[in-house]
């Protein structure tokens, strides 16, 4: 995605968190309801924070991304990855500094001979 061509985002900072590994109660099939399964998350958050002045108190806290993932996972079993990543994106977009997010989830044991099965969305605030 060429986010820097988007006039709403080109002045944003792009925060990237890769390979957030979690055990998630997810899946629409009966066998998926028996136990949690490994899911990898890759998340990009587009924020406006230009006045950090080398002070972490003025920066966007990356922990908020991990917290959003953990809060959605803790809410209980989710049937679809689509539902999971929409919920994470919605939580992240509440923060006033966040203008857009890209959220990807990949189930790493969904198929025997496939590394992962996943989905990705991009959402801007007020979409």
């Amino acid at each position: 995605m060429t986010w820097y061509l988007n006039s709403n985002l080109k002045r944003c900072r792009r925060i990237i968190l890769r390979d957030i590994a979690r055990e998630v109660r997810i899946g629409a099939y009966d066998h998926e309801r028996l136990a949690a399964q490994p899911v990898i998350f890759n998340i990009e958050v587009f924020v406006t924070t230009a006045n950090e002045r080398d002070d972490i108190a003025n920066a966007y806290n990356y922990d908020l991304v991990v917290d959003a993932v953990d809060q959605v996972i803790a809410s209980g079993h989710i049937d679809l990855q689509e539902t999971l990543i929409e919920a994470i994106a919605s939580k992240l977009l509440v923060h006033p500094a966040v203008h857009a997010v890209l959220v990807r989830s990949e189930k790493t044991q969904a198929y025997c001979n496939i590394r992962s099965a996943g989905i990705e969305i991009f959402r801007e605030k007020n979409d």
Side-chain angles (χ1 to χ4, degrees), residues 15 17 56 60-71 92:
I15 296 169
L17 282 86
I56 195 166
Y60 180 81
N61 186 339
Y62 297 11
D63 291 346
L64 296 173
V65 176
V66 177
D67 291 346
V69 171
D70 290 341
Q71 289 170 14
L92 293 170

Side-chain angles (χ1 to χ4, degrees), residues 13-22 39-47 60 62-70 72-73 84-93 98 100-106 119-123:
R13 298 180 190 275
R14 179 175 148 216
I15 296 169
I16 303 166
L17 282 86
R18 288 196 176 112
D19 300 333
I20 303 167
R22 292 291 186 268
V39 176
I40 301 294
F41 296 92
N42 288 281
I43 300 175
E44 298 180 15
V45 183
F46 297 81
V47 300
Y60 180 81
Y62 297 11
D63 291 346
L64 296 173
V65 176
V66 177
D67 291 346
V69 171
D70 290 341
V72 171
I73 290 169
L84 173 65
I85 63 174
E86 287 286 355
I88 293 168
S90 293
K91 273 198 175 300
L92 293 170
L93 286 166
V98 175
V101 296
L102 184 144
V103 181
R104 177 186 313 124
S105 69
E106 298 177 66
I119 186 163
E120 175 180 282
I121 60 169
F122 176 80
R123 296 289 181 263

